[in-house]
Every structure is written in C-alpha cells, then in structure tokens.
Amino acid sequence: MKPQRKAGPRTRALGAVAVCGALALTACGANGGSAPSPRPSAPPPSPSAATGAIACGKAATLRASGSTAQQYAMKYWITTYTRACAGTKIAYDGNGSGAGQDDFLHGRTAFAGSDSPLDADQVKQSEKVCADGGRAIHLPIVGGPIAVAFHLPGVDRLVLDAPTLAKIFNGRITRWDDPAIAGLNKDAKLPATPIRTFHRSDSSGTTDNFTAYLAATARDAWPYPHAKEWPAQGGGSAKGSADLAAQVQRTTGGIGYVELPYAVDRMLRTVSVATGAATPADANVIAASHAIAGARTVNTGHDVILDLDYGTKVPGAYPIDVVTYEIVCDKGNKPETWPATKAFLAYMASQKGQQNLTFQGYATLPAKVVDAVRREIGTLS
C-alpha cells in the first residue's frame, strides 16, 4: 500500500478557525452537507515580517511541477518567499503528480510535488539526474482531505460508505434513489436522477489515494489496485482537479473526487463518509488532521514516508486523505539552483511556512513528521 501526516497549538487553533469559520464545507460537528463558504486566502505576512523569518538562498530561477493538491499552498509559499527573497523566481506547474514525477526524472525541474512516492525503479532512475551519486528522496510537506463532491439539487446532506462509493464509481449503482444510498440517508428525499461520475483523465496522485482508499476498504466492490491512472470503465473525465470540480458543478447528478479547496471554490457540497464510528466523518481540515495523525511513519534513509490508515474508525477522522511530498535530489541536481531549492524547502517546512495552511484548506501534519522533514532538509548537501 502506498504510504503517505500535530502541529503546535497555534496551528491547531488556526485549523479550528478555518473549519468553524469561513472555510467550513460543513457545519462543525453538525450538518455535513451544508453549503460551503468561499475559500478565504490568508493574507501573506508583511515583507518585513517575512524577511525576518526566511533565510534566502542564492538568487535563482526555480521550476517545479506536479501535484494539483498543493497548488493553492504553493501559490501562497511562492508569493511569500519571493517577496522576502528578491531575485529568486519560482514557477510551479500543477500538471498532476505523474507529470511532475516525469519532469523531475528527466531533469526538467528542481523538485516535484507528488501525492504518491516514486517506486523503486523511479528512484533508481533518479540517480541519472541527481548529482554526486545522489538519489531522489521524499519530504512530506502538506496534507488534506480528498472531498467527494456532488451536485444533487434538493439534497443538502449525503452520507456514503466505502462499499457504496466503490459501487457508484464502478458503475454498479447508477441512480441516486438506489436502495443502498437510501439506506444511508433515511431522512433525505433522493431523486431518481442518474448518477454521473467524474474521474481524473491525467496521471494523478489524487486518483492514487482515492483508489487506495477504495481498494483498502471495499475489496468486494472495488476489484482494482490503487493507481495514478483511473482503472474503472465508464464515467466522465477531466484533466486536473479544477476542471473535474467544474464538471461536477455543471452536471446535475454529478459526483467526483477533488482536494478540499477545489470543492470550496466551486461551492460544492461534499459527502460525509460512514466509517463505522458513531457518526459519519465530514470532509474538513480538522477531520483530515485526525486521520493523518494515525498514519504510520516509514523512514528509509533520508525518506520520510507516511502510510495512511484508510480504514480508520477514530471518531471524527475523515478517512480519504492525501499527503503531498516534495521529491528532491539529496545532493542536488542543478548547481545553479540547488541553494535556492534548499532555502525554499526550508521555508515551506518552517513554522511560518506551515502556520497559515489551514486557511488554504489543508490539514496539519503531525509535529514529529514536520520535525523529521526539517532535520532532513538540514542534512541536504
């Protein structure tokens, strides 16, 4: 199974504000299907404050690509870092985890963002682009919930469990008034509207994590292994999370999986997931943080990889989550950009880099994981 996860009191407080305030997709602890509020952008620190906290590397132009899951966070990081570090320019292309891995492994980028770790063959391949006998390593930087967004007029709250989700996305449940859905939503007036599923058309870490959840928790209904490419037949497709969310928004009866900020931006309602706990778990940053806190850390060499527990039954823990890794050479791959790359990574993992992420729709990683990442960045040569 693919690995993938408490921050200090200030970070947790920010998460509570984000979920229970303007960010909340659901009423806190109440109606999981209430209308979401637009995602606010936390204001970047002032230039003077940022300069005092950020250690700038040698000025350079960095190119990176990959995960759409971290795109909102990356925009915030780039704005703040480059404001403090004059002369450094950073471009991030959210082209999907698979494309980001490919860019990195062919030497086109300084680092990649990926919601899935490289496999053993890819790590071996990285030795060709990494300098001085180095190789690629994985540094988890940000996490968050994968929201199952839906568009079903008249239905404000929708509860689904793993087997029902698997049958929906596998084409075995095709109408919204199906008895399996009705049994989980006894108070809802479900229409006979056809279900229109949407999945990612590109190689995607979000798909990898969503299918890993289905494979781990609904084996009888989901006969596929986890994969970055969508494995099932049928359904509509879209490249990138933004386009997938747009497809769901414009389609009556539509349902699809996207990272939380994309659902919030489109004002989409999201599924509450029945996990076996007393109450279904809502897709919000606090619920995702609860789940990610239970992940097992797998440290191999300089890697820090998290193994998510998709079958968690911890009360209030939302089980469908993603952790994004920055994939980077442990000894650099481009001498002209390596100092700036290390400095930017150090900023992302710093307290200042992590403290406002809940306002962008992201879950907090455990303190021990963030501390391990900071130590590893400090050892990069």
Side-chain angles (χ1 to χ4, degrees), residues 323-370:
V323 168
T324 301
Y325 301 90
E326 309 311 325
I327 299 175
V328 63
C329 292
D330 55 0
K331 298 180 181 181
N333 57 353
K334 296 179 183 295
E336 66 274 17
T337 61
W338 186 226
T341 300
K342 288 190 294 183
F344 186 52
L345 290 170
Y347 159 66
M348 286 192 286
S350 71
Q351 182 178 1
K352 183 168 286 294
Q354 293 284 308
Q355 68 183 1
N356 285 324
L357 293 183
T358 49
F359 286 99
Q360 308 295 322
Y362 296 101
T364 55
L365 298 180
K368 64 180 180 181
V369 171
V370 178

Side-chain angles (χ1 to χ4, degrees), residues 216-236:
T217 57
R219 293 184 181 89
D220 292 340
W222 188 258
Y224 311 102
H226 71 85
K228 292 193 289 292
E229 291 77 24
W230 183 252
Q233 300 297 312

